[in-house]
Amino acid sequence: GRASIRGMPKCDMCDNEATVHEVIVRNGQRIERHLCEDHAKEAGVFTSQSFSAAGQVVKKVVMSQSGLAEQAKASRSSCPECGLSFAEFRQDGLLGCSKCYEAFADKLVSLLRRAHDGGDHPPIPNPTMSRPGPSSLRQARRDRAPAPIRIGRARPDPTLDRRRRRRVMEQYQPPDRTSWLTHDGPETDVVVTSRVRLARNVAGIPFVNRCVPTDLRGVMELAEQSLLRDSIAPGMTWVPLHQMAQLDRQVLVERHLISGQHAKGELPRAVAISNPDESLSVMINEEDHLRIQIIRPGLALQEAFKRIDTVDDDIESRIDYAYHPQFGYLTACPTNVGTGIRLSVMLHLPGLKLA
């Protein structure tokens, strides 16, 4: 291909810098394409503005499946529950509901094996393997047939209205200082924060990308009843994002309490925050129904994991999670399926700038 002055490839169709790089393997042959944003759109190739990073990974892997005839046959299959076709999944990298994992099981197993090729990853769990986790609650729940909570079937909570009056913010009012900015943790000269995030979905409800507003409001109702409890964290506060000004949402993004994606749009969505330390936040109706995160100052991943595991058990005692004995906890993007966990640290490395 062409090369630019900086060593980056140019678009195969023009002299502009390529921003989309596609690798397709068909019948053992490797085909590479380098396209600028405009020519990528003309060719029907995904762009960085169209999909999340995880969705791009999924699409690349799916598109690399060998054989045009096999791809065409797979594209015609669809989920009997939500109607999502495999072609639609190939387009944006997101599944529509829990049943998609059964409808596309063979293809997803192949996809996940390819996505983790070359890494040191455990094998895909045996279908008879028990639900992970030491919690006796999970063991008891596994032994009985789950009864998915559906829209309109949440048990009324007579204390909820009283808690809501005390804990719902119509306008976000940030505390003077969040706990993860205190520099009280270990190795804070290099590690600014440690973060553990869990992705969870409610059983019996389509994933967010296939939800209608009624579904989204139902998820919010279930989450509000489950999260505004002192057993989760004292002072849990409910922030309805779709009712807030864009500036308030941006403040939440900058405080690492919600994602940029979560801040956009007007469909029903919210975040529950532990107040005033803001070490725990739960995004409702982001890419998944629930995105639970714990942030600690310094290098404290083990401490953050222990805390989030306790919170996760508490929520699961009130909400049936979407779970599959082969795939684990089910998520909209298959790259998150299994434990649904992501661990990360924010580092202060000034030497990189000076180098």
Side-chain angles (χ1 to χ4, degrees):
R2 309 179 188 184
S4 69
I5 296 177
R6 291 178 293 172
M8 296 297 291
K10 286 190 175 182
C11 176
D12 295 341
M13 308 298 293
C14 66
D15 288 331
N16 294 328
E17 183 177 325
T19 58
V20 176
H21 310 279
E22 182 181 49
V23 178
I24 302 176
V25 179
R26 289 178 181 161
N27 299 322
Q29 294 185 344
R30 179 187 176 95
I31 304 172
E32 294 188 18
R33 284 204 295 179
H34 307 281
L35 302 171
C36 65
E37 197 81 16
D38 292 336
H39 282 108
K41 291 178 181 178
E42 291 179 6
V45 181
F46 67 92
T47 68
S48 59
Q49 298 176 348
S50 303
F51 307 99
S52 66
Q56 292 182 32
V57 172
V58 171
K59 182 173 181 181
K60 278 188 176 182
V61 175
V62 176
M63 292 296 289
S64 69
Q65 300 292 320
S66 60
L68 293 176
E70 181 181 344
Q71 289 187 33
K73 181 179 179 181
S75 297
R76 289 193 294 269
S77 61
S78 61
C79 173
E81 182 74 15
C82 70
L84 181 83
S85 68
F86 194 73
E88 291 176 292
F89 167 63
R90 287 175 53 191
Q91 188 64 30
D92 62 15
L94 296 177
L95 296 170
C97 70
S98 302
K99 295 297 183 182
C100 289
Y101 279 91
E102 297 179 0
F104 309 134
D106 293 341
K107 307 176 189 68
L108 289 174
V109 168
S110 175
L111 183 154
L112 292 171
R113 290 188 191 280
R114 285 173 172 265
H116 296 303
D117 186 28
D120 184 16
H121 301 280
I124 294 175
N126 186 289
T128 61
M129 197 165 98
S130 63
R131 179 174 292 201
S135 170
S136 59
L137 165 67
R138 288 179 183 161
Q139 178 67 31
R141 283 166 51 79
R142 189 199 66 204
D143 292 338
R144 65 176 175 82
I149 302 177
R150 297 186 181 274
I151 302 299
R153 290 183 55 191
R155 292 184 294 272
D157 185 344
T159 66
L160 182 61
D161 287 341
R162 184 169 63 253
R163 293 201 307 273
R164 289 190 85 255
R165 286 194 296 271
R166 187 171 70 249
R167 295 185 176 180
V168 173
M169 282 189 181
E170 299 300 335
Q171 182 178 6
Y172 177 62
Q173 300 170 353
D176 294 335
R177 198 176 191 186
T178 58
S179 62
W180 58 266
L181 288 174
T182 59
H183 302 290
D184 291 336
E187 310 292 344
T188 51
D189 56 329
V190 176
V191 184
V192 181
T193 61
S194 298
R195 174 177 174 266
V196 180
R197 185 222 70 190
L198 293 177
R200 297 288 187 259
N201 284 284
V202 181
I205 300 177
F207 297 151
V208 172
N209 65 92
R210 302 291 283 190
C211 274
V212 298
T214 303
D215 293 330
L216 297 174
R217 285 191 291 270
V219 172
M220 287 186 52
E221 178 184 344
L222 295 174
E224 189 175 8
Q225 290 193 19
S226 300
L227 295 172
L228 294 190
R229 297 175 182 273
D230 289 337
S231 60
I232 298 289
M236 283 295 289
T237 302
W238 183 264
V239 183
L241 292 175
H242 59 293
Q243 299 174 5
M244 301 187 72
Q246 189 60 45
L247 181 60
D248 288 328
R249 302 184 199 183
Q250 188 58 38
V251 172
L252 290 166
V253 173
E254 293 176 357
R255 296 176 81 88
H256 299 277
L257 297 172
I258 65 173
S259 65
Q261 174 185 341
H262 201 210
K264 299 176 182 177
E266 303 304 322
L267 291 174
R269 62 192 65 197
V271 60
I273 306 169
S274 62
N275 199 12
D277 68 340
E278 296 188 337
S279 63
L280 165 66
S281 66
V282 183
M283 291 183 285
I284 295 92
N285 291 336
E286 198 230 25
E287 183 177 278
D288 295 294
H289 294 149
L290 302 177
R291 287 286 180 96
I292 312 163
Q293 76 164 16
I294 294 287
I295 301 181
R296 289 284 190 264
L299 185 59
L301 286 173
Q302 289 187 344
E303 176 189 346
F305 174 78
K306 290 179 180 178
R307 175 71 180 114
I308 204 169
D309 190 44
T310 301
V311 171
D312 186 40
D313 280 354
D314 194 301
I315 298 173
E316 194 174 14
S317 70
R318 297 177 175 85
I319 295 178
D320 276 318
Y321 286 151
Y323 182 86
H324 190 277
Q326 179 179 11
F327 293 103
Y329 290 103
L330 303 182
T331 55
C333 183
T335 57
N336 292 318
V337 76
T339 61
I341 195 170
R342 175 174 293 177
L343 295 88
S344 60
V345 293
M346 183 191 302
L347 303 178
H348 175 58
L349 301 173
L352 290 180
K353 182 67 174 179
L354 299 175

mmCIF file of all heavy atoms in Angstrom, residues 149-183:
data_model
loop_
_atom_site.group_PDB
_atom_site.id
_atom_site.type_symbol
_atom_site.label_atom_id
_atom_site.label_comp_id
_atom_site.label_asym_id
_atom_site.label_seq_id
_atom_site.Cartn_x
_atom_site.Cartn_y
_atom_site.Cartn_z
ATOM 1 N N ILE A 149 -37.573 -11.061 36.198
ATOM 2 C CA ILE A 149 -38.412 -9.907 36.509
ATOM 3 C C ILE A 149 -38.728 -9.184 35.220
ATOM 4 O O ILE A 149 -37.832 -8.789 34.488
ATOM 5 C CB ILE A 149 -37.690 -8.954 37.474
ATOM 6 C CG1 ILE A 149 -37.319 -9.705 38.757
ATOM 7 C CG2 ILE A 149 -38.537 -7.740 37.783
ATOM 8 C CD1 ILE A 149 -36.537 -8.875 39.750
ATOM 9 N N ARG A 150 -39.987 -9.016 34.913
ATOM 10 C CA ARG A 150 -40.385 -8.353 33.679
ATOM 11 C C ARG A 150 -41.020 -7.009 33.996
ATOM 12 O O ARG A 150 -41.386 -6.710 35.122
ATOM 13 C CB ARG A 150 -41.347 -9.231 32.873
ATOM 14 C CG ARG A 150 -40.699 -10.544 32.415
ATOM 15 C CD ARG A 150 -41.626 -11.329 31.504
ATOM 16 N NE ARG A 150 -41.015 -12.579 31.095
ATOM 17 C CZ ARG A 150 -40.206 -12.705 30.046
ATOM 18 N NH1 ARG A 150 -39.918 -11.637 29.326
ATOM 19 N NH2 ARG A 150 -39.696 -13.869 29.723
ATOM 20 N N ILE A 151 -41.131 -6.217 32.952
ATOM 21 C CA ILE A 151 -41.694 -4.884 33.115
ATOM 22 C C ILE A 151 -43.075 -4.972 33.755
ATOM 23 O O ILE A 151 -43.911 -5.777 33.357
ATOM 24 C CB ILE A 151 -41.809 -4.183 31.757
ATOM 25 C CG1 ILE A 151 -40.424 -4.096 31.104
ATOM 26 C CG2 ILE A 151 -42.423 -2.808 31.896
ATOM 27 C CD1 ILE A 151 -39.422 -3.307 31.905
ATOM 28 N N GLY A 152 -43.299 -4.148 34.757
ATOM 29 C CA GLY A 152 -44.607 -4.088 35.392
ATOM 30 C C GLY A 152 -44.809 -5.105 36.497
ATOM 31 O O GLY A 152 -45.859 -5.133 37.110
ATOM 32 N N ARG A 153 -43.789 -5.961 36.749
ATOM 33 C CA ARG A 153 -43.944 -6.988 37.770
ATOM 34 C C ARG A 153 -43.084 -6.732 38.998
ATOM 35 O O ARG A 153 -42.922 -7.593 39.852
ATOM 36 C CB ARG A 153 -43.592 -8.359 37.185
ATOM 37 C CG ARG A 153 -44.610 -8.849 36.171
ATOM 38 C CD ARG A 153 -44.250 -10.236 35.676
ATOM 39 N NE ARG A 153 -44.098 -11.176 36.765
ATOM 40 C CZ ARG A 153 -43.580 -12.394 36.625
ATOM 41 N NH1 ARG A 153 -43.160 -12.789 35.450
ATOM 42 N NH2 ARG A 153 -43.480 -13.202 37.666
ATOM 43 N N ALA A 154 -42.481 -5.573 39.085
ATOM 44 C CA ALA A 154 -41.665 -5.264 40.260
ATOM 45 C C ALA A 154 -42.546 -5.146 41.500
ATOM 46 O O ALA A 154 -43.637 -4.603 41.449
ATOM 47 C CB ALA A 154 -40.909 -3.952 40.044
ATOM 48 N N ARG A 155 -42.029 -5.681 42.580
ATOM 49 C CA ARG A 155 -42.791 -5.606 43.829
ATOM 50 C C ARG A 155 -42.792 -4.169 44.344
ATOM 51 O O ARG A 155 -41.745 -3.527 44.421
ATOM 52 C CB ARG A 155 -42.170 -6.551 44.868
ATOM 53 C CG ARG A 155 -42.330 -8.012 44.529
ATOM 54 C CD ARG A 155 -41.768 -8.869 45.647
ATOM 55 N NE ARG A 155 -40.326 -8.711 45.767
ATOM 56 C CZ ARG A 155 -39.463 -9.445 45.072
ATOM 57 N NH1 ARG A 155 -39.896 -10.331 44.200
ATOM 58 N NH2 ARG A 155 -38.163 -9.271 45.228
ATOM 59 N N PRO A 156 -43.944 -3.642 44.731
ATOM 60 C CA PRO A 156 -43.985 -2.267 45.233
ATOM 61 C C PRO A 156 -43.214 -2.135 46.539
ATOM 62 O O PRO A 156 -43.217 -3.028 47.380
ATOM 63 C CB PRO A 156 -45.489 -2.010 45.435
ATOM 64 C CG PRO A 156 -46.095 -3.367 45.585
ATOM 65 C CD PRO A 156 -45.274 -4.289 44.738
ATOM 66 N N ASP A 157 -42.546 -1.022 46.693
ATOM 67 C CA ASP A 157 -41.758 -0.766 47.889
ATOM 68 C C ASP A 157 -42.342 0.467 48.570
ATOM 69 O O ASP A 157 -42.187 1.590 48.076
ATOM 70 C CB ASP A 157 -40.294 -0.524 47.507
ATOM 71 C CG ASP A 157 -39.405 -0.370 48.733
ATOM 72 O OD1 ASP A 157 -39.950 -0.153 49.836
ATOM 73 O OD2 ASP A 157 -38.180 -0.463 48.594
ATOM 74 N N PRO A 158 -43.015 0.328 49.712
ATOM 75 C CA PRO A 158 -43.687 1.470 50.349
ATOM 76 C C PRO A 158 -42.714 2.531 50.841
ATOM 77 O O PRO A 158 -43.108 3.673 51.059
ATOM 78 C CB PRO A 158 -44.439 0.829 51.516
ATOM 79 C CG PRO A 158 -43.723 -0.457 51.781
ATOM 80 C CD PRO A 158 -43.219 -0.925 50.459
ATOM 81 N N THR A 159 -41.433 2.176 51.016
ATOM 82 C CA THR A 159 -40.476 3.167 51.514
ATOM 83 C C THR A 159 -39.764 3.903 50.399
ATOM 84 O O THR A 159 -39.003 4.833 50.658
ATOM 85 C CB THR A 159 -39.415 2.482 52.395
ATOM 86 O OG1 THR A 159 -38.618 1.603 51.580
ATOM 87 C CG2 THR A 159 -40.066 1.683 53.507
ATOM 88 N N LEU A 160 -40.020 3.508 49.139
ATOM 89 C CA LEU A 160 -39.263 4.091 48.037
ATOM 90 C C LEU A 160 -39.548 5.572 47.865
ATOM 91 O O LEU A 160 -38.633 6.367 47.657
ATOM 92 C CB LEU A 160 -39.567 3.336 46.738
ATOM 93 C CG LEU A 160 -38.796 3.835 45.502
ATOM 94 C CD1 LEU A 160 -37.300 3.685 45.704
ATOM 95 C CD2 LEU A 160 -39.247 3.085 44.252
ATOM 96 N N ASP A 161 -40.834 5.982 47.923
ATOM 97 C CA ASP A 161 -41.156 7.389 47.728
ATOM 98 C C ASP A 161 -40.452 8.270 48.758
ATOM 99 O O ASP A 161 -39.980 9.363 48.438
ATOM 100 C CB ASP A 161 -42.666 7.607 47.810
ATOM 101 C CG ASP A 161 -43.390 7.070 46.584
ATOM 102 O OD1 ASP A 161 -42.704 6.878 45.558
ATOM 103 O OD2 ASP A 161 -44.603 6.833 46.674
ATOM 104 N N ARG A 162 -40.365 7.806 49.989
ATOM 105 C CA ARG A 162 -39.692 8.585 51.020
ATOM 106 C C ARG A 162 -38.197 8.691 50.728
ATOM 107 O O ARG A 162 -37.593 9.752 50.879
ATOM 108 C CB ARG A 162 -39.926 7.934 52.387
ATOM 109 C CG ARG A 162 -39.345 8.734 53.542
ATOM 110 C CD ARG A 162 -39.824 8.209 54.888
ATOM 111 N NE ARG A 162 -39.396 6.853 55.147
ATOM 112 C CZ ARG A 162 -40.203 5.786 55.109
ATOM 113 N NH1 ARG A 162 -41.484 5.923 54.802
ATOM 114 N NH2 ARG A 162 -39.745 4.576 55.368
ATOM 115 N N ARG A 163 -37.590 7.591 50.297
ATOM 116 C CA ARG A 163 -36.174 7.620 49.959
ATOM 117 C C ARG A 163 -35.924 8.490 48.741
ATOM 118 O O ARG A 163 -34.911 9.187 48.642
ATOM 119 C CB ARG A 163 -35.667 6.192 49.702
ATOM 120 C CG ARG A 163 -35.664 5.304 50.937
ATOM 121 C CD ARG A 163 -34.702 4.133 50.766
ATOM 122 N NE ARG A 163 -34.927 3.386 49.554
ATOM 123 C CZ ARG A 163 -35.785 2.380 49.442
ATOM 124 N NH1 ARG A 163 -36.544 2.052 50.472
ATOM 125 N NH2 ARG A 163 -35.921 1.726 48.308
ATOM 126 N N ARG A 164 -36.850 8.457 47.773
ATOM 127 C CA ARG A 164 -36.660 9.249 46.560
ATOM 128 C C ARG A 164 -36.656 10.740 46.876
ATOM 129 O O ARG A 164 -35.857 11.500 46.333
ATOM 130 C CB ARG A 164 -37.757 8.948 45.544
ATOM 131 C CG ARG A 164 -37.654 7.578 44.916
ATOM 132 C CD ARG A 164 -38.610 7.435 43.757
ATOM 133 N NE ARG A 164 -38.024 7.946 42.533
ATOM 134 C CZ ARG A 164 -38.344 9.090 41.959
ATOM 135 N NH1 ARG A 164 -39.231 9.887 42.528
ATOM 136 N NH2 ARG A 164 -37.788 9.477 40.845
ATOM 137 N N ARG A 165 -37.564 11.173 47.742
ATOM 138 C CA ARG A 165 -37.610 12.598 48.073
ATOM 139 C C ARG A 165 -36.283 13.064 48.674
ATOM 140 O O ARG A 165 -35.866 14.202 48.479
ATOM 141 C CB ARG A 165 -38.760 12.870 49.047
ATOM 142 C CG ARG A 165 -40.143 12.818 48.415
ATOM 143 C CD ARG A 165 -41.187 13.420 49.342
ATOM 144 N NE ARG A 165 -41.350 12.670 50.573
ATOM 145 C CZ ARG A 165 -42.203 11.652 50.706
ATOM 146 N NH1 ARG A 165 -42.963 11.277 49.689
ATOM 147 N NH2 ARG A 165 -42.308 11.017 51.866
ATOM 148 N N ARG A 166 -35.610 12.164 49.364
ATOM 149 C CA ARG A 166 -34.373 12.533 50.027
ATOM 150 C C ARG A 166 -33.164 12.362 49.108
ATOM 151 O O ARG A 166 -32.154 13.045 49.267
ATOM 152 C CB ARG A 166 -34.199 11.661 51.283
ATOM 153 C CG ARG A 166 -33.022 12.054 52.157
ATOM 154 C CD ARG A 166 -33.032 11.304 53.481
ATOM 155 N NE ARG A 166 -32.725 9.892 53.327
ATOM 156 C CZ ARG A 166 -33.593 8.901 53.508
ATOM 157 N NH1 ARG A 166 -34.835 9.178 53.825
ATOM 158 N NH2 ARG A 166 -33.245 7.637 53.369
ATOM 159 N N ARG A 167 -33.255 11.483 48.125
ATOM 160 C CA ARG A 167 -32.057 11.063 47.414
ATOM 161 C C ARG A 167 -32.057 11.324 45.904
ATOM 162 O O ARG A 167 -31.086 10.991 45.248
ATOM 163 C CB ARG A 167 -31.830 9.561 47.631
ATOM 164 C CG ARG A 167 -31.537 9.212 49.086
ATOM 165 C CD ARG A 167 -31.207 7.747 49.223
ATOM 166 N NE ARG A 167 -30.823 7.409 50.573
ATOM 167 C CZ ARG A 167 -30.477 6.184 50.967
ATOM 168 N NH1 ARG A 167 -30.465 5.205 50.095
ATOM 169 N NH2 ARG A 167 -30.143 5.956 52.221
ATOM 170 N N VAL A 168 -33.079 11.888 45.342
ATOM 171 C CA VAL A 168 -33.097 12.141 43.904
ATOM 172 C C VAL A 168 -32.617 13.557 43.643
ATOM 173 O O VAL A 168 -33.109 14.526 44.223
ATOM 174 C CB VAL A 168 -34.511 11.941 43.318
ATOM 175 C CG1 VAL A 168 -34.537 12.366 41.853
ATOM 176 C CG2 VAL A 168 -34.917 10.480 43.447
ATOM 177 N N MET A 169 -31.635 13.691 42.766
ATOM 178 C CA MET A 169 -31.095 14.991 42.401
ATOM 179 C C MET A 169 -31.699 15.444 41.082
ATOM 180 O O MET A 169 -31.553 14.757 40.068
ATOM 181 C CB MET A 169 -29.567 14.916 42.229
ATOM 182 C CG MET A 169 -28.764 14.891 43.499
ATOM 183 S SD MET A 169 -27.001 15.072 43.126
ATOM 184 C CE MET A 169 -26.313 14.987 44.773
ATOM 185 N N GLU A 170 -32.360 16.573 41.064
ATOM 186 C CA GLU A 170 -32.844 17.145 39.817
ATOM 187 C C GLU A 170 -31.715 17.891 39.113
ATOM 188 O O GLU A 170 -31.724 18.067 37.904
ATOM 189 C CB GLU A 170 -34.016 18.097 40.090
ATOM 190 C CG GLU A 170 -35.214 17.426 40.742
ATOM 191 C CD GLU A 170 -35.791 16.301 39.906
ATOM 192 O OE1 GLU A 170 -35.616 16.317 38.672
ATOM 193 O OE2 GLU A 170 -36.415 15.397 40.487
ATOM 194 N N GLN A 171 -30.735 18.342 39.878
ATOM 195 C CA GLN A 171 -29.556 18.992 39.323
ATOM 196 C C GLN A 171 -28.353 18.477 40.094
ATOM 197 O O GLN A 171 -28.343 18.456 41.323
ATOM 198 C CB GLN A 171 -29.659 20.511 39.442
ATOM 199 C CG GLN A 171 -28.472 21.250 38.826
ATOM 200 C CD GLN A 171 -28.632 22.758 38.918
ATOM 201 O OE1 GLN A 171 -29.578 23.238 39.534
ATOM 202 N NE2 GLN A 171 -27.723 23.495 38.308
ATOM 203 N N TYR A 172 -27.330 18.037 39.357
ATOM 204 C CA TYR A 172 -26.172 17.433 40.003
ATOM 205 C C TYR A 172 -25.410 18.473 40.817
ATOM 206 O O TYR A 172 -25.092 19.549 40.333
ATOM 207 C CB TYR A 172 -25.256 16.799 38.962
ATOM 208 C CG TYR A 172 -24.000 16.212 39.553
ATOM 209 C CD1 TYR A 172 -24.074 15.165 40.468
ATOM 210 C CD2 TYR A 172 -22.750 16.709 39.219
ATOM 211 C CE1 TYR A 172 -22.942 14.621 41.032
ATOM 212 C CE2 TYR A 172 -21.596 16.173 39.761
ATOM 213 C CZ TYR A 172 -21.701 15.126 40.663
ATOM 214 O OH TYR A 172 -20.565 14.598 41.220
ATOM 215 N N GLN A 173 -25.135 18.131 42.076
ATOM 216 C CA GLN A 173 -24.396 19.009 42.969
ATOM 217 C C GLN A 173 -23.154 18.274 43.460
ATOM 218 O O GLN A 173 -23.210 17.502 44.419
ATOM 219 C CB GLN A 173 -25.276 19.419 44.157
ATOM 220 C CG GLN A 173 -26.541 20.149 43.744
ATOM 221 C CD GLN A 173 -27.508 20.324 44.904
ATOM 222 O OE1 GLN A 173 -27.293 19.796 45.985
ATOM 223 N NE2 GLN A 173 -28.572 21.066 44.661
ATOM 224 N N PRO A 174 -22.029 18.461 42.789
ATOM 225 C CA PRO A 174 -20.824 17.691 43.135
ATOM 226 C C PRO A 174 -20.290 18.064 44.508
ATOM 227 O O PRO A 174 -20.360 19.228 44.921
ATOM 228 C CB PRO A 174 -19.830 18.083 42.034
ATOM 229 C CG PRO A 174 -20.284 19.420 41.553
ATOM 230 C CD PRO A 174 -21.784 19.394 41.676
ATOM 231 N N PRO A 175 -19.775 17.085 45.250
ATOM 232 C CA PRO A 175 -19.142 17.386 46.533
ATOM 233 C C PRO A 175 -17.833 18.134 46.310
ATOM 234 O O PRO A 175 -17.334 18.219 45.178
ATOM 235 C CB PRO A 175 -18.910 15.997 47.141
ATOM 236 C CG PRO A 175 -18.823 15.079 45.963
ATOM 237 C CD PRO A 175 -19.756 15.650 44.934
ATOM 238 N N ASP A 176 -17.272 18.646 47.384
ATOM 239 C CA ASP A 176 -16.040 19.419 47.263
ATOM 240 C C ASP A 176 -14.902 18.583 46.693
ATOM 241 O O ASP A 176 -14.101 19.058 45.892
ATOM 242 C CB ASP A 176 -15.630 19.988 48.631
ATOM 243 C CG ASP A 176 -16.626 21.023 49.128
ATOM 244 O OD1 ASP A 176 -17.310 21.624 48.284
ATOM 245 O OD2 ASP A 176 -16.718 21.210 50.361
ATOM 246 N N ARG A 177 -14.850 17.314 47.093
ATOM 247 C CA ARG A 177 -13.742 16.470 46.639
ATOM 248 C C ARG A 177 -14.160 15.015 46.679
ATOM 249 O O ARG A 177 -14.671 14.548 47.695
ATOM 250 C CB ARG A 177 -12.518 16.687 47.530
ATOM 251 C CG ARG A 177 -11.222 16.211 46.897
ATOM 252 C CD ARG A 177 -10.047 16.557 47.789
ATOM 253 N NE ARG A 177 -8.788 16.356 47.127
ATOM 254 C CZ ARG A 177 -7.607 16.469 47.728
ATOM 255 N NH1 ARG A 177 -7.555 16.784 49.006
ATOM 256 N NH2 ARG A 177 -6.490 16.273 47.063
ATOM 257 N N THR A 178 -13.948 14.296 45.584
ATOM 258 C CA THR A 178 -14.278 12.880 45.552
ATOM 259 C C THR A 178 -13.178 12.075 46.222
ATOM 260 O O THR A 178 -12.022 12.506 46.309
ATOM 261 C CB THR A 178 -14.448 12.392 44.106
ATOM 262 O OG1 THR A 178 -13.236 12.646 43.380
ATOM 263 C CG2 THR A 178 -15.579 13.103 43.411
ATOM 264 N N SER A 179 -13.523 10.872 46.693
ATOM 265 C CA SER A 179 -12.583 10.070 47.469
ATOM 266 C C SER A 179 -11.358 9.668 46.655
ATOM 267 O O SER A 179 -10.256 9.551 47.197
ATOM 268 C CB SER A 179 -13.281 8.819 48.003
ATOM 269 O OG SER A 179 -13.732 8.003 46.928
ATOM 270 N N TRP A 180 -11.534 9.452 45.346
ATOM 271 C CA TRP A 180 -10.392 8.977 44.567
ATOM 272 C C TRP A 180 -9.390 10.096 44.253
ATOM 273 O O TRP A 180 -8.327 9.839 43.681
ATOM 274 C CB TRP A 180 -10.849 8.280 43.283
ATOM 275 C CG TRP A 180 -11.687 9.083 42.330
ATOM 276 C CD1 TRP A 180 -13.038 9.127 42.277
ATOM 277 C CD2 TRP A 180 -11.221 9.930 41.274
ATOM 278 N NE1 TRP A 180 -13.464 9.950 41.264
ATOM 279 C CE2 TRP A 180 -12.358 10.451 40.618
ATOM 280 C CE3 TRP A 180 -9.966 10.296 40.802
ATOM 281 C CZ2 TRP A 180 -12.284 11.323 39.540
ATOM 282 C CZ3 TRP A 180 -9.884 11.155 39.712
ATOM 283 C CH2 TRP A 180 -11.029 11.661 39.098
ATOM 284 N N LEU A 181 -9.708 11.319 44.648
ATOM 285 C CA LEU A 181 -8.762 12.418 44.470
ATOM 286 C C LEU A 181 -7.997 12.752 45.747
ATOM 287 O O LEU A 181 -7.269 13.739 45.802
ATOM 288 C CB LEU A 181 -9.499 13.672 43.985
ATOM 289 C CG LEU A 181 -9.998 13.647 42.539
ATOM 290 C CD1 LEU A 181 -10.839 14.887 42.251
ATOM 291 C CD2 LEU A 181 -8.822 13.570 41.565
ATOM 292 N N THR A 182 -8.166 11.925 46.781
ATOM 293 C CA THR A 182 -7.531 12.227 48.068
ATOM 294 C C THR A 182 -6.069 11.805 48.123
ATOM 295 O O THR A 182 -5.346 12.218 49.023
ATOM 296 C CB THR A 182 -8.280 11.507 49.198
ATOM 297 O OG1 THR A 182 -8.257 10.088 48.962
ATOM 298 C CG2 THR A 182 -9.732 11.976 49.272
ATOM 299 N N HIS A 183 -5.633 10.945 47.193
ATOM 300 C CA HIS A 183 -4.242 10.450 47.175
ATOM 301 C C HIS A 183 -3.908 9.690 48.456
ATOM 302 O O HIS A 183 -2.755 9.700 48.901
ATOM 303 C CB HIS A 183 -3.250 11.605 46.966
ATOM 304 C CG HIS A 183 -3.485 12.381 45.707
ATOM 305 N ND1 HIS A 183 -3.232 11.867 44.455
ATOM 306 C CD2 HIS A 183 -3.975 13.636 45.509
ATOM 307 C CE1 HIS A 183 -3.540 12.776 43.534
ATOM 308 N NE2 HIS A 183 -4.000 13.854 44.139
#
